[in-house]
Amino acid sequence: MRIVFAASEAVPFCKTGGLADVAGALPRVLARKGHRVALFLPYYRAVAKAGFRPEPAAELRFLFDGAAARARLLRLVQGELEVFFVQQPALYDREGLYGADGRDYLDNGTRFAFFSRAVLEGAKAVGLEPDVFHCHDWQTGLVPPCLRLLHGGDPALARAASVFTIHNAAYQGVFPKELLASAGLPQAEFTPEGLEYYGQANYLKSGAVYSELLSTVSPTYAGEIRSSAEFGRGLEGVYLGRGADLRGILNGLDLELWNPLSDGALPRRFGPGGWREGKREAKALLRRKCGFVPAEGPLIGAVTRLDRQKGLDLVLEAVPGAVAKGAQFAMVALGDPELDKGFRALAAAHPRRVHFHPAFDDPFARLLYAASDLFLMPSRFEPCGLGQMIAMRYGSVPVAVRTGGLADTVRERAEGGRPANGFLAARPDADELSAALDRALAAFRVPEWAARVDACLAEDFSWERSAERYAALYEEARARRA
C-alpha cells in the first residue's frame, strides 16, 4: 500500500508533544512491514538546526489566496522511509513550530492551510500516487476536504482515501472563515454539516467531516469525545454522527528509546528478569540527588507538564497525606506558574521527602522513571498518555484516573486473563486520588507487590499491533473511497 503521512511534527526532526512521537514511529513500522510510506512535514528552522539536510525534490506552484503560490519540496530518505519537507521560508523559517514567547503565531491558520494544500500538490508532483493520506490533528485538517473537493477528478489523487486522527480534541484550529476560500475550498461547502463552525473555520472539524474514516489514540477516548462537551469540546455531535466511522487505536511506544536494559541514564540497567537490584540502585542515586533521607516507604514519581488537565492541583492535595504515611515524592515538570508556586511550597515544607525539579532534564526524568515505585498520573482527560507506558516499562506502578488511554492501559484488578498493573481513581477528585494512593501504599507493603511490578514489565506497548490496526483501517478507507 502507498501511504502519505501528513503531520506538523515528527521525531527526530521537530517536536513539541506526543504527536511527534506517533508521527515519527508509526510510519517507520509500516515501512518495515513492506508499505511504501512518505512522511510530509513543514521545513521548520528547527529541522535545519537539528542538522538534517534534505535535497530538492520538486518545485510546487498552485493557487492560494487568489494568487500563484510557490514552495519547494525537499526529500530525505531514512531507511525504508521517505520524508518530504515543504519549504516556504516566510511561513516556516521561524524560531518556534507554532509560536514564540508563549504566544501562537497569528497566521497559523494560513501556515497550515498552505501546508495542507502543499501536501496534496507535493504528493502529486513526485508521483507518489497514494492509496491513502493519513492526516494528524487540526494542522492537517484541510487535507481531507481539499482532497475530496479540489482533487476529486485528478487522476493522480482521485482514488486516494483519507484517514484523520485526532490526538487531542481540545486543540481544534479555529480561524476566520476566509481562510477556507484562501485554500480554494468552495463557498457552497460552508454549512453546519460541512466546513462551517459558528461562522468560522474549524480545521479539526473539517478533517473529521471529510475523511473516509477517523480515529483517535485510545478506545476509551474514542467513546469519551462523542459522549459529552467535556471531552468533545463542542464537536461531540460531529463525532457521534460519525460514530460508525470512528476508531480508537492505542498508541505504541518506541521500545528502543525507552529501554531500561540499555538506558545510559541508569546506574544499573535492568529488565523483566531481574529488576530489583537495578531499581534499588536507581532509587539510591535519585535519593542522593534529591537530598532525601533513607526510607522504607515507596518513592512516588511524576514526569509531566504543569497543567490542570494533568490533575496536578489534585496532587498538591493528595501527596501530603502520602508523605505523612512514609512515602517520598519527586516530580519533573514545567508549565503553569501557579502550579509551579504550589509545588515549590510543597517541597519547601517537606525538604527531605518532596523534591520538585522544574526543568526539562531528560536524564533526571529517566532516572526518576527507574527509581520510582509508583508513578502518579491523575489526568482529568488523557487521550492516550505515554507517561504511564514509560513508567511500566521501567517497573514503576502507575496511579492514575480512569479516563482515556489510562483506562485502557492501567488495571487495578486482573481483567481478561491479564494481571493487575496499577491503581485507578474513579474520577479526577482529590479524595478519590488520595484513596487510590492509600491502596497503593498498602499494597507496597505486602509480598504480592513484586507481581504487580512484574506485570508492568511484561506489558507489550510496541507499535506492532497498532500498526496492523492502522493498516486494516487504511484498507477499509480505500474500499469506501472505491
Side-chain angles (χ1 to χ4, degrees), residues 237-430:
V238 174
Y239 305 136
L240 185 62
R242 297 214 62 190
D245 306 326
L246 173 61
R247 310 285 190 273
I249 301 177
L250 194 69
N251 283 341
L253 190 66
D254 187 331
L255 301 187
E256 295 180 5
L257 180 64
W258 301 105
N259 187 356
L261 281 168
S262 59
D263 196 326
L266 310 188
R268 183 188 184 105
R269 296 167 189 179
F270 62 89
W275 51 267
R276 289 169 176 80
E277 192 63 22
K279 287 190 71 68
R280 187 191 69 77
E281 290 191 21
K283 186 185 294 187
L285 177 58
L286 187 94
R287 279 177 168 154
R288 290 196 297 272
K289 287 178 175 288
C290 295
F292 285 171
V293 295
E296 295 299 319
L299 176 63
I300 304 170
V303 179
T304 186
R305 183 178 75 253
L306 287 178
D307 193 305
R308 288 190 79 258
Q309 180 227 321
K310 299 297 184 181
L312 297 182
D313 52 321
L314 310 179
V315 173
L316 287 171
E317 293 188 57
V319 160
V323 169
K325 294 171 184 173
Q328 295 173 327
F329 175 68
M331 183 170 77
V332 179
L334 283 172
D336 181 89
E338 283 301 311
L339 288 170
D340 182 284
K341 182 179 177 181
F343 281 103
R344 289 179 189 272
L346 182 65
H350 306 277
R352 305 288 276 173
R353 288 192 171 271
V354 174
H355 178 78
F356 176 47
H357 198 79
F360 179 76
D361 188 337
D362 184 64
F364 189 90
R366 288 172 176 273
L367 178 62
L368 181 53
Y369 279 120
S372 57
D373 301 294
L374 295 166
F375 186 82
L376 207 49
M377 202 166 171
S379 304
R380 285 184 163 82
F381 69 92
E382 193 66 60
C384 177
L386 294 179
Q388 83 279 16
M389 296 183 188
I390 298 169
M392 284 190 266
R393 181 91 166 129
Y394 284 72
S396 183
V397 176
V399 180
V401 169
R402 192 186 300 276
T403 186
L406 299 173
D408 293 322
T409 53
V410 181
R411 300 178 301 278
E412 185 154 350
R413 296 176 179 82
E415 298 174 11
R418 303 174 70 191
N421 64 4
F423 299 86
L424 287 168
R427 57 185 179 275
D429 172 87

